[in-house]
Amino acid sequence: MTSASQLLRLVQELYAAPGTVEGWRPFLESLRIATNGSAASLLCEDLQSAQCSFEATTVDNEEAIVLYAKQWGSADPWAHSPNGGRLLRQGVIVGDELVAHR
């Protein structure tokens, strides 16, 4: 698939995604593949109550999610970032704004 056709497919899937978790999964899977990633996730969380109202994830290895949650979930640097307060003010941010890529 050419990069132009891949981008067009991503945009089409993005426009079709809102509304249900099942709508987001095809887009996330295409995004994961397009970026050569091992996972792609979208989660919506009420930061004041710490309740997640929506979560969609695609992975190339389902067992990795279970292992991560078991061993590293409680130490997740994005979930416990001191910069997490920015989410309350901005709503949506890039992961690097919570935890620097380096």
Side-chain angles (χ1 to χ4, degrees):
M1 182 183 300
T2 68
S3 59
S5 61
Q6 191 175 37
L7 180 59
L8 178 59
R9 179 177 170 190
L10 279 170
V11 170
Q12 289 170 331
E13 289 176 354
L14 177 61
Y15 282 139
T20 66
V21 172
E22 289 73 29
W24 282 104
R25 285 203 174 99
F27 167 73
L28 291 171
E29 181 65 7
S30 294
L31 180 64
R32 182 189 69 76
I33 291 168
T35 59
N36 198 30
S38 59
S41 296
L42 174 66
L43 97 103
C44 298
E45 183 175 348
D46 180 334
L47 296 174
Q48 294 177 336
S49 69
Q51 296 294 313
C52 181
S53 62
F54 177 91
E55 187 273 331
T57 299
T58 66
V59 296
D60 63 354
N61 179 353
E62 291 287 332
E63 187 179 332
I65 294 285
V66 174
L67 292 173
Y68 179 86
K70 188 179 198 178
Q71 185 166 353
W72 300 106
S74 64
D76 185 329
W78 287 271
H80 305 289
S81 169
N83 296 326
R86 294 179 70 187
L87 283 166
L88 292 171
R89 295 184 304 276
Q90 290 177 251
V92 176
I93 63 172
V94 177
D96 287 355
E97 294 179 64
L98 290 175
V99 177
H101 185 71
R102 58 175 164 64

XYZ file of all heavy atoms in Angstrom:
776
model
N 0.846 -1.173 0.000
C 0.000 0.000 0.000
C 0.894 1.239 0.000
O 1.840 1.326 0.758
C -0.891 -0.037 1.245
C -1.865 1.102 1.347
S -2.872 1.120 2.854
C -3.743 -0.422 2.751
N 0.582 2.190 -0.847
C 1.370 3.416 -0.889
C 1.065 4.267 0.335
O 0.035 4.118 0.981
C 1.048 4.239 -2.149
O -0.280 4.728 -2.036
C 1.218 3.420 -3.407
N 1.976 5.174 0.646
C 1.763 6.029 1.812
C 0.538 6.917 1.628
O -0.177 7.194 2.588
C 3.003 6.847 2.117
O 3.357 7.645 1.018
N 0.260 7.364 0.403
C -0.924 8.195 0.161
C -2.203 7.398 0.385
O -3.141 7.873 1.024
C -0.893 8.771 -1.249
N -2.240 6.163 -0.107
C -3.443 5.348 0.087
C -3.574 4.918 1.546
O -4.679 4.822 2.072
C -3.457 4.137 -0.845
O -2.354 3.290 -0.597
N -2.456 4.702 2.197
C -2.479 4.353 3.618
C -3.004 5.528 4.441
O -3.830 5.352 5.347
C -1.072 3.961 4.073
C -1.014 3.341 5.439
C 0.395 2.867 5.761
O 1.383 3.512 5.390
N 0.492 1.750 6.444
N -2.566 6.729 4.126
C -3.040 7.922 4.822
C -4.532 8.132 4.576
O -5.286 8.428 5.511
C -2.245 9.152 4.382
C -2.646 10.467 5.035
C -2.502 10.402 6.555
C -1.800 11.600 4.472
N -4.979 7.958 3.351
C -6.397 8.103 3.032
C -7.224 7.091 3.823
O -8.269 7.434 4.380
C -6.639 7.933 1.537
C -8.098 8.006 1.078
C -8.714 9.351 1.457
C -8.197 7.762 -0.413
N -6.757 5.865 3.899
C -7.464 4.830 4.669
C -7.539 5.224 6.140
O -8.580 5.078 6.779
C -6.769 3.487 4.508
C -7.438 2.392 5.284
C -6.774 1.069 5.040
N -7.296 0.080 5.970
C -6.792 -1.094 6.136
N -5.746 -1.472 5.426
N -7.309 -1.934 6.997
N -6.432 5.715 6.699
C -6.431 6.150 8.102
C -7.447 7.264 8.341
O -8.182 7.235 9.327
C -5.035 6.621 8.517
C -4.032 5.550 8.882
C -2.644 6.159 9.031
C -4.441 4.842 10.160
N -7.486 8.241 7.442
C -8.426 9.354 7.597
C -9.867 8.846 7.504
O -10.726 9.225 8.309
C -8.148 10.458 6.554
C -9.264 11.499 6.536
C -6.806 11.116 6.838
N -10.145 7.952 6.570
C -11.492 7.400 6.441
C -11.891 6.634 7.703
O -13.013 6.773 8.191
C -11.573 6.484 5.219
C -11.519 7.235 3.913
C -11.367 6.315 2.716
O -10.795 5.229 2.802
N -11.867 6.757 1.572
N -10.979 5.839 8.234
C -11.272 5.082 9.440
C -11.411 6.002 10.654
O -12.222 5.738 11.542
C -10.218 4.013 9.678
C -10.314 2.891 8.675
C -9.223 1.843 8.819
O -8.290 2.037 9.636
O -9.300 0.831 8.101
N -10.640 7.079 10.682
C -10.756 8.047 11.767
C -12.134 8.703 11.750
O -12.787 8.834 12.788
C -9.660 9.104 11.667
C -9.704 10.219 12.708
C -9.570 9.659 14.122
C -8.592 11.220 12.442
N -12.611 9.107 10.578
C -13.941 9.720 10.481
C -15.042 8.729 10.853
O -16.078 9.132 11.381
C -14.190 10.262 9.077
C -13.504 11.575 8.793
C -12.891 11.798 7.574
C -13.467 12.596 9.736
C -12.260 13.013 7.295
C -12.842 13.808 9.479
C -12.247 14.005 8.259
O -11.631 15.198 7.995
N -14.839 7.447 10.589
C -15.855 6.438 10.885
C -15.822 5.979 12.338
O -16.774 5.371 12.820
C -15.650 5.229 9.970
N -14.755 6.283 13.061
C -14.517 5.711 14.392
C -15.434 6.178 15.513
O -15.872 5.362 16.318
C -13.061 5.953 14.792
N -15.720 7.457 15.675
C -16.447 7.899 16.872
C -17.787 7.197 17.069
O -18.450 6.816 16.124
C -16.666 9.390 16.632
C -15.571 9.781 15.714
C -15.374 8.584 14.820
N -18.126 7.044 18.330
C -19.426 6.480 18.676
C -19.345 5.222 19.507
O -20.081 5.071 20.467
N -18.448 4.302 19.154
C -18.337 3.053 19.893
C -16.881 2.611 19.968
O -16.057 3.006 19.147
C -19.125 1.905 19.213
O -18.520 1.613 17.947
C -20.588 2.261 19.016
N -16.593 1.765 20.951
C -15.257 1.181 21.054
C -14.951 0.400 19.781
O -13.850 0.480 19.230
C -15.156 0.260 22.289
C -13.847 -0.499 22.298
C -15.317 1.066 23.565
N -15.936 -0.338 19.294
C -15.733 -1.137 18.081
C -15.420 -0.255 16.879
O -14.721 -0.659 15.974
C -16.967 -1.997 17.788
C -17.166 -3.134 18.763
C -17.651 -2.674 20.146
O -18.344 -1.628 20.235
O -17.315 -3.345 21.129
N -15.913 0.973 16.876
C -15.600 1.894 15.789
C -14.159 2.365 15.808
O -13.575 2.629 14.762
N -13.568 2.463 16.995
C -12.194 2.942 17.119
C -11.164 1.863 16.801
O -10.053 2.173 16.371
C -11.940 3.496 18.520
C -12.503 4.866 18.686
C -13.640 5.206 19.365
C -11.977 6.074 18.143
N -13.847 6.557 19.273
C -12.843 7.120 18.532
C -10.876 6.385 17.364
C -12.625 8.445 18.172
C -10.652 7.708 17.006
C -11.527 8.715 17.411
N -11.481 0.612 17.015
C -10.474 -0.450 16.847
C -9.895 -0.554 15.445
O -8.673 -0.686 15.304
C -11.033 -1.781 17.338
C -11.063 -1.828 18.847
C -11.069 -3.247 19.393
N -10.953 -3.179 20.829
C -11.987 -3.271 21.671
N -13.197 -3.475 21.210
N -11.798 -3.190 22.959
N -10.698 -0.512 14.373
C -10.085 -0.564 13.026
C -9.103 0.582 12.784
O -8.036 0.373 12.198
C -11.281 -0.489 12.071
C -12.438 -0.944 12.878
C -12.160 -0.509 14.296
N -9.466 1.786 13.232
C -8.550 2.920 13.073
C -7.267 2.697 13.866
O -6.165 2.893 13.344
C -9.215 4.229 13.520
C -8.220 5.352 13.658
C -7.670 5.941 12.531
C -7.807 5.781 14.903
C -6.720 6.958 12.646
C -6.871 6.796 15.029
C -6.326 7.388 13.897
N -7.394 2.286 15.121
C -6.209 2.071 15.947
C -5.311 0.981 15.377
O -4.087 1.099 15.396
C -6.612 1.735 17.385
C -7.238 2.881 18.174
C -7.802 2.359 19.497
C -6.240 3.994 18.410
N -5.923 -0.076 14.857
C -5.130 -1.155 14.257
C -4.393 -0.656 13.014
O -3.204 -0.937 12.831
C -6.016 -2.350 13.919
C -5.286 -3.517 13.307
C -4.259 -4.186 14.228
O -4.153 -3.850 15.430
O -3.534 -5.065 13.723
N -5.060 0.097 12.168
C -4.402 0.650 10.977
C -3.301 1.629 11.371
O -2.234 1.649 10.761
C -5.418 1.346 10.073
O -6.326 0.417 9.544
N -3.550 2.420 12.400
C -2.533 3.360 12.886
C -1.322 2.600 13.439
O -0.179 2.958 13.163
C -3.133 4.265 13.962
C -2.196 5.302 14.575
C -1.736 6.301 13.519
C -2.888 6.014 15.734
N -1.580 1.548 14.198
C -0.487 0.733 14.758
C 0.375 0.158 13.637
O 1.602 0.242 13.682
C -1.062 -0.405 15.620
C 0.012 -1.265 16.273
C -0.575 -2.507 16.932
N -1.083 -3.471 15.980
C -0.320 -4.280 15.240
N 0.999 -4.228 15.318
N -0.855 -5.140 14.409
N -0.260 -0.370 12.619
C 0.470 -0.975 11.498
C 1.225 0.103 10.712
O 2.394 -0.068 10.364
C -0.495 -1.764 10.594
C -0.983 -3.011 11.352
C 0.165 -2.142 9.277
C -2.150 -3.717 10.708
N 0.563 1.238 10.457
C 1.184 2.315 9.676
C 2.415 2.883 10.362
O 3.357 3.322 9.704
C 0.175 3.432 9.420
N 2.420 2.873 11.695
C 3.552 3.421 12.435
C 4.522 2.337 12.895
O 5.459 2.618 13.634
C 3.068 4.228 13.652
O 2.299 3.374 14.506
C 2.249 5.431 13.217
N 4.254 1.104 12.458
C 5.091 -0.037 12.829
C 5.175 -0.175 14.355
O 6.228 -0.481 14.914
C 6.489 0.090 12.219
C 7.223 -1.241 12.215
O 6.605 -2.293 12.133
N 8.542 -1.191 12.326
N 4.058 0.064 15.009
C 4.011 -0.011 16.466
C 3.597 -1.380 16.961
O 3.084 -2.204 16.205
N 3.795 -1.609 18.236
C 3.372 -2.868 18.837
C 1.992 -2.753 19.480
O 1.349 -3.759 19.765
C 4.393 -3.333 19.881
O 4.549 -2.355 20.885
N 1.517 -1.509 19.688
C 0.194 -1.284 20.266
C -0.281 0.119 19.923
O 0.524 1.004 19.645
C 0.240 -1.458 21.776
N -1.586 0.288 19.936
C -2.194 1.613 19.799
C -3.392 1.644 20.736
O -4.182 0.706 20.766
C -2.635 1.877 18.363
N -3.492 2.706 21.514
C -4.566 2.806 22.503
C -5.194 4.182 22.489
O -4.538 5.177 22.193
C -4.027 2.554 23.917
O -3.545 1.254 24.053
N -6.448 4.212 22.860
C -7.170 5.452 23.085
C -7.941 5.252 24.373
O -8.653 4.262 24.528
C -8.132 5.730 21.932
C -9.066 6.928 22.108
C -8.271 8.227 22.143
C -10.090 6.953 20.993
N -7.748 6.165 25.315
C -8.494 6.047 26.546
C -8.976 7.401 26.997
O -8.306 8.405 26.801
C -7.679 5.324 27.620
C -6.907 6.040 28.663
C -7.724 5.952 29.940
C -5.581 5.356 28.917
N -10.174 7.415 27.530
C -10.780 8.631 28.063
C -10.995 8.399 29.546
O -11.659 7.449 29.938
C -12.113 8.910 27.387
S -11.960 9.186 25.622
N -10.406 9.271 30.336
C -10.452 9.095 31.775
C -10.839 10.393 32.448
O -10.363 11.460 32.082
C -9.086 8.638 32.287
C -9.047 8.357 33.757
C -7.708 7.790 34.211
O -6.890 7.406 33.365
O -7.493 7.728 35.414
N -11.724 10.297 33.430
C -12.061 11.426 34.274
C -10.959 11.514 35.318
O -10.866 10.667 36.206
C -13.417 11.210 34.930
C -13.820 12.370 35.830
O -12.935 13.083 36.355
O -15.033 12.554 36.010
N -10.091 12.496 35.201
C -8.923 12.581 36.074
C -9.290 12.907 37.512
O -8.532 12.590 38.427
C -7.933 13.600 35.534
C -7.328 13.241 34.184
C -6.474 14.378 33.665
C -6.527 11.962 34.275
N -10.426 13.526 37.740
C -10.811 13.837 39.110
C -11.311 12.608 39.847
O -11.034 12.434 41.021
C -11.839 14.960 39.129
C -11.226 16.258 38.641
C -12.215 17.390 38.568
O -13.413 17.190 38.443
N -11.692 18.606 38.640
N -12.041 11.734 39.153
C -12.543 10.520 39.803
C -11.674 9.302 39.514
O -11.887 8.244 40.084
C -13.975 10.221 39.344
O -13.980 9.833 37.975
N -10.713 9.447 38.594
C -9.830 8.357 38.169
C -10.617 7.186 37.569
O -10.206 6.040 37.637
C -8.945 7.882 39.313
N -11.737 7.489 36.957
C -12.553 6.478 36.302
C -12.355 6.553 34.795
O -12.423 7.627 34.203
C -14.038 6.670 36.638
C -14.365 6.484 38.100
C -14.146 5.064 38.554
O -14.570 4.113 37.895
N -13.464 4.893 39.672
N -12.130 5.407 34.191
C -11.978 5.339 32.742
C -13.359 5.073 32.141
O -14.017 4.102 32.492
C -11.015 4.213 32.370
S -10.748 4.059 30.606
N -13.798 5.959 31.251
C -15.115 5.796 30.649
C -15.046 5.124 29.284
O -16.052 4.674 28.760
C -15.807 7.147 30.523
O -15.063 8.004 29.677
N -13.855 5.061 28.713
C -13.712 4.521 27.370
C -12.273 4.082 27.170
O -11.346 4.803 27.523
C -14.059 5.621 26.358
C -13.882 5.214 24.928
C -14.920 4.655 24.229
C -12.666 5.388 24.291
C -14.757 4.275 22.910
C -12.488 5.015 22.976
C -13.555 4.465 22.280
N -12.081 2.888 26.597
C -10.734 2.413 26.308
C -10.802 1.473 25.117
O -11.645 0.597 25.049
C -10.162 1.688 27.526
C -8.709 1.292 27.399
C -8.493 -0.054 26.743
O -9.359 -0.934 26.857
O -7.456 -0.220 26.082
N -9.936 1.692 24.155
C -9.809 0.805 23.002
C -8.326 0.604 22.745
O -7.556 1.564 22.725
C -10.493 1.394 21.777
N -7.928 -0.637 22.564
C -6.522 -0.978 22.352
C -6.404 -2.062 21.295
O -7.230 -2.972 21.244
C -5.883 -1.493 23.665
O -5.956 -0.468 24.644
C -4.440 -1.896 23.470
N -5.383 -1.953 20.475
C -5.023 -3.049 19.579
C -3.543 -3.340 19.812
O -2.756 -2.434 20.063
C -5.252 -2.712 18.093
O -4.369 -1.678 17.693
C -6.689 -2.298 17.842
N -3.190 -4.604 19.772
C -1.803 -5.018 19.993
C -1.426 -6.116 19.021
O -2.282 -6.816 18.494
C -1.571 -5.530 21.442
C -1.789 -4.436 22.456
C -2.441 -6.721 21.747
N -0.129 -6.272 18.806
C 0.325 -7.379 17.982
C 0.576 -8.629 18.831
O 0.793 -9.703 18.313
C 1.560 -7.007 17.165
C 2.774 -6.668 18.012
O 2.651 -6.607 19.245
O 3.842 -6.442 17.425
N 0.512 -8.484 20.160
C 0.738 -9.605 21.069
C -0.166 -9.419 22.293
O 0.164 -8.652 23.195
C 2.219 -9.648 21.469
C 2.542 -10.775 22.429
O 1.658 -11.473 22.923
N 3.811 -10.958 22.712
N -1.294 -10.119 22.309
C -2.278 -9.984 23.398
C -1.663 -10.285 24.763
O -2.007 -9.652 25.759
C -3.476 -10.912 23.165
C -4.353 -10.515 22.011
C -5.191 -9.291 22.296
O -5.523 -9.034 23.473
O -5.523 -8.587 21.331
N -0.760 -11.246 24.825
C -0.150 -11.625 26.097
C 0.652 -10.473 26.695
O 0.763 -10.338 27.912
C 0.749 -12.848 25.910
C 1.282 -13.403 27.209
C 2.147 -14.638 27.000
O 1.946 -15.367 26.017
O 3.027 -14.863 27.839
N 1.174 -9.609 25.842
C 1.970 -8.478 26.323
C 1.145 -7.556 27.215
O 1.652 -7.016 28.194
C 2.552 -7.702 25.151
N -0.132 -7.366 26.905
C -1.012 -6.514 27.718
C -1.167 -7.096 29.116
O -1.059 -6.387 30.117
C -2.395 -6.368 27.045
C -2.279 -5.609 25.743
C -3.394 -5.707 27.991
C -2.088 -4.133 25.879
N -1.399 -8.394 29.196
C -1.564 -9.062 30.492
C -0.275 -8.975 31.298
O -0.288 -8.642 32.486
C -1.986 -10.540 30.290
C -2.027 -11.284 31.616
C -3.330 -10.614 29.588
N 0.852 -9.249 30.650
C 2.138 -9.196 31.341
C 2.456 -7.780 31.808
O 2.965 -7.583 32.910
C 3.254 -9.717 30.437
C 3.196 -11.211 30.129
C 4.246 -11.585 29.077
C 3.385 -12.028 31.388
N 2.160 -6.788 30.969
C 2.417 -5.402 31.355
C 1.589 -5.033 32.584
O 2.109 -4.475 33.556
C 2.102 -4.442 30.208
C 2.345 -3.005 30.585
C 3.605 -2.445 30.450
C 1.333 -2.217 31.123
C 3.850 -1.131 30.821
C 1.567 -0.902 31.497
C 2.823 -0.378 31.340
O 3.063 0.922 31.722
N 0.302 -5.326 32.530
C -0.582 -4.979 33.651
C -0.136 -5.665 34.939
O -0.135 -5.049 36.014
C -2.018 -5.368 33.319
N 0.276 -6.897 34.818
C 0.692 -7.673 35.990
C 1.983 -7.125 36.601
O 2.093 -6.972 37.812
C 0.888 -9.131 35.570
C 1.139 -10.092 36.673
C 1.285 -11.483 36.055
C 1.120 -12.569 37.061
N 1.227 -13.887 36.429
N 2.959 -6.832 35.770
C 4.274 -6.450 36.279
C 4.489 -4.937 36.376
O 5.133 -4.457 37.294
C 5.376 -7.056 35.421
C 6.755 -6.791 35.983
C 7.813 -7.667 35.341
O 7.508 -8.552 34.569
N 9.051 -7.412 35.667
N 3.960 -4.174 35.416
C 4.312 -2.759 35.328
C 3.139 -1.803 35.461
O 3.350 -0.591 35.597
C 5.016 -2.477 33.995
C 6.259 -3.270 33.834
C 6.440 -4.345 33.022
C 7.495 -3.086 34.520
N 7.713 -4.836 33.155
C 8.385 -4.070 34.077
C 7.938 -2.178 35.472
C 9.678 -4.184 34.541
C 9.227 -2.284 35.935
C 10.082 -3.277 35.464
N 1.914 -2.267 35.410
C 0.744 -1.395 35.441
C 0.739 -0.412 36.593
O 0.425 0.762 36.428
N 1.113 -0.861 37.774
C 1.089 0.030 38.944
C 2.219 1.064 38.907
O 2.188 2.043 39.646
C 1.171 -0.785 40.233
O 2.409 -1.467 40.298
N 3.212 0.851 38.051
C 4.336 1.784 37.949
C 4.309 2.540 36.614
O 5.304 3.140 36.231
C 5.654 1.027 38.077
N 3.171 2.532 35.929
C 3.044 3.168 34.617
C 3.436 4.642 34.702
O 2.788 5.426 35.392
C 1.600 3.042 34.138
C 1.393 3.556 32.729
O 2.101 4.497 32.312
O 0.509 3.030 32.046
N 4.514 5.048 34.033
C 4.980 6.430 34.159
C 4.002 7.456 33.580
O 3.949 8.582 34.037
C 6.307 6.442 33.398
C 6.224 5.289 32.472
C 5.367 4.263 33.151
N 3.193 7.072 32.590
C 2.220 8.005 32.032
C 1.054 8.201 33.004
O 0.578 9.309 33.188
C 1.716 7.519 30.673
C 2.760 7.680 29.623
C 2.965 8.782 28.842
C 3.747 6.731 29.252
N 4.033 8.566 28.001
C 4.529 7.306 28.225
C 4.061 5.440 29.657
C 5.582 6.651 27.625
C 5.111 4.783 29.055
C 5.865 5.390 28.056
N 0.623 7.133 33.631
C -0.493 7.226 34.582
C -0.111 8.011 35.825
O -0.958 8.647 36.453
C -0.966 5.827 34.964
N 1.166 7.984 36.206
C 1.614 8.618 37.442
C 2.537 9.810 37.203
O 3.266 10.228 38.096
C 2.320 7.580 38.327
C 1.474 6.383 38.602
N 0.373 6.422 39.414
C 1.550 5.111 38.153
C -0.189 5.227 39.462
N 0.504 4.420 38.702
N 2.471 10.380 36.006
C 3.339 11.503 35.658
C 3.024 12.730 36.504
O 1.858 13.072 36.714
C 3.154 11.867 34.185
O 3.791 13.087 33.895
N 4.060 13.428 36.978
C 3.821 14.681 37.696
C 3.223 15.765 36.783
O 2.694 16.752 37.268
C 5.206 15.088 38.201
C 6.179 14.306 37.416
C 5.473 13.078 36.928
N 3.280 15.555 35.478
C 2.699 16.499 34.526
C 1.230 16.187 34.220
O 0.622 16.828 33.373
C 3.489 16.504 33.214
C 4.901 16.994 33.410
O 5.142 17.862 34.243
N 5.836 16.426 32.685
N 0.667 15.210 34.907
C -0.709 14.790 34.653
C -1.732 15.895 34.816
O -2.788 15.877 34.182
N -1.449 16.889 35.648
C -2.361 18.012 35.834
C -2.625 18.784 34.552
O -3.658 19.442 34.410
N -1.707 18.691 33.597
C -1.896 19.365 32.306
C -3.120 18.818 31.581
O -3.771 19.536 30.830
C -0.655 19.198 31.435
C 0.554 19.907 32.016
C 1.767 19.716 31.187
N 1.603 20.446 29.931
C 2.454 20.368 28.933
N 3.515 19.620 29.031
N 2.257 21.052 27.833
N -3.440 17.544 31.831
C -4.612 16.961 31.190
C -5.892 17.644 31.651
O -6.844 17.762 30.899
C -4.689 15.460 31.487
C -3.735 14.591 30.680
C -3.656 13.196 31.278
C -4.176 14.519 29.234
N -5.929 18.069 32.897
C -7.113 18.760 33.406
C -7.310 20.103 32.708
O -8.432 20.530 32.483
C -7.005 18.973 34.920
C -7.071 17.718 35.769
C -6.742 18.051 37.225
C -8.430 17.054 35.668
N -6.202 20.751 32.356
C -6.285 22.063 31.706
C -6.422 21.949 30.191
O -7.122 22.724 29.568
C -5.058 22.891 32.055
C -4.962 23.251 33.525
C -3.783 24.157 33.841
N -2.492 23.638 33.443
C -1.747 22.779 34.169
N -2.200 22.344 35.321
N -0.582 22.372 33.749
N -5.718 20.994 29.589
C -5.677 20.903 28.136
C -6.639 19.875 27.565
O -7.015 19.985 26.415
C -4.262 20.565 27.676
C -3.286 21.693 27.888
C -1.889 21.279 27.498
O -1.061 21.110 28.361
N -1.625 21.112 26.223
N -6.957 18.831 28.296
C -7.867 17.804 27.803
C -7.189 16.709 27.013
O -7.308 15.552 27.342
N -6.463 17.056 25.981
C -5.761 16.073 25.151
C -4.321 16.532 25.007
O -4.065 17.685 24.687
C -6.405 15.956 23.754
C -5.602 15.012 22.868
C -7.852 15.506 23.859
N -3.394 15.629 25.261
C -1.978 15.955 25.083
C -1.261 14.750 24.488
O -1.765 13.631 24.513
C -1.293 16.389 26.396
C -1.282 15.264 27.420
C -1.962 17.613 26.977
C -0.445 15.583 28.642
N -0.095 14.980 23.986
C 0.762 13.927 23.445
C 1.486 13.257 24.607
O 1.854 13.913 25.590
C 1.778 14.543 22.445
C 2.739 13.486 21.913
C 1.040 15.227 21.312
N 1.687 11.947 24.514
C 2.342 11.204 25.582
C 3.670 11.782 26.014
O 4.031 11.746 27.181
N 4.429 12.352 25.058
C 5.726 12.960 25.385
C 5.588 14.155 26.322
O 6.552 14.548 26.965
C 6.464 13.397 24.120
C 7.025 12.230 23.325
O 6.921 11.081 23.813
O 7.560 12.458 22.240
N 4.388 14.725 26.398
C 4.175 15.841 27.320
C 4.020 15.336 28.755
O 4.222 16.096 29.698
C 2.944 16.651 26.907
C 3.134 17.363 25.583
C 1.906 18.129 25.166
O 1.545 19.075 25.882
O 1.317 17.782 24.130
N 3.664 14.075 28.908
C 3.586 13.464 30.235
C 4.927 12.882 30.651
O 5.369 13.036 31.777
C 2.528 12.358 30.273
C 1.084 12.795 30.176
C 0.171 11.577 30.109
C 0.706 13.687 31.340
N 5.559 12.185 29.720
C 6.850 11.547 29.953
C 7.711 11.817 28.730
O 7.349 11.420 27.621
C 6.706 10.019 30.159
C 8.057 9.368 30.328
C 5.800 9.716 31.341
N 8.821 12.492 28.936
C 9.707 12.821 27.820
C 10.176 11.553 27.096
O 10.463 10.539 27.735
C 10.914 13.614 28.306
N 10.230 11.610 25.783
C 10.633 10.450 24.979
C 12.012 9.916 25.377
O 12.222 8.726 25.440
C 10.618 10.809 23.496
C 10.905 9.659 22.613
N 10.006 8.632 22.431
C 11.986 9.342 21.882
C 10.531 7.740 21.614
N 11.723 8.156 21.247
N 12.909 10.804 25.694
C 14.253 10.360 26.046
C 14.245 9.567 27.310
O 14.983 8.724 27.609
C 15.221 11.542 26.157
C 14.819 12.584 27.166
C 15.898 13.665 27.303
N 15.437 14.839 27.942
C 15.019 14.897 29.215
N 14.972 13.849 29.949
N 14.613 16.047 29.721
